[in-house]
């Protein structure tokens, strides 16, 4: 049985905590909705949602700027 679903869940939990800690936007909720790792674990697709919708662009810019803080390379 593959361990990838468990890895997906662990990454989702850790990434959600890091986003809440490192990306501060007043009156905005940023949620990590899913993580899908590749079979070799070298890449992952991450889904997020932002409320309210009109701040999605600002949230994405802040997330992009904080990428190095969120994902150690």
């Amino acid at each position: 049985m593959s361990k990838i679903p468990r890895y997906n869940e662990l990454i989702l939990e850790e990434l959600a905590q890091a986003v809440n800690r490192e990306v501060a936007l007043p009156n905005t909720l940023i949620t990590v909705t899913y993580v899908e790792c590749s079979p070799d674990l070298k890449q992952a697709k991450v889904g997020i949602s932002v409320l309210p919708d009109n701040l999605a662009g600002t949230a994405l810019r802040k997330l992009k700027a904080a990428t190095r803080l969120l994902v150690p390379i």
Side-chain angles (χ1 to χ4, degrees):
M1 185 171 181
S2 175
K3 293 183 180 182
I4 292 178
R6 180 66 184 140
Y7 292 140
N8 290 340
E9 186 63 31
L10 288 171
I11 293 169
L12 184 140
E13 291 171 8
E14 292 296 322
L15 193 54
Q17 289 177 11
V19 166
N20 285 330
R21 185 177 57 248
E22 300 293 340
V23 182
L25 276 173
N27 303 316
T28 304
L29 176 64
I30 302 172
T31 306
V32 179
T33 57
Y34 70 88
V35 174
E36 293 177 359
C37 289
S38 64
D40 61 4
L41 300 176
K42 290 185 178 183
Q43 296 182 12
K45 291 182 182 179
V46 177
I48 64 161
S49 67
V50 178
L51 292 176
D53 289 340
N54 64 334
L55 292 177
T58 302
L60 288 174
R61 282 190 296 279
K62 285 224 173 208
L63 282 168
K64 187 175 182 180
T67 299
R68 296 234 181 243
L69 300 172
L70 300 174
V71 182
I73 298 174

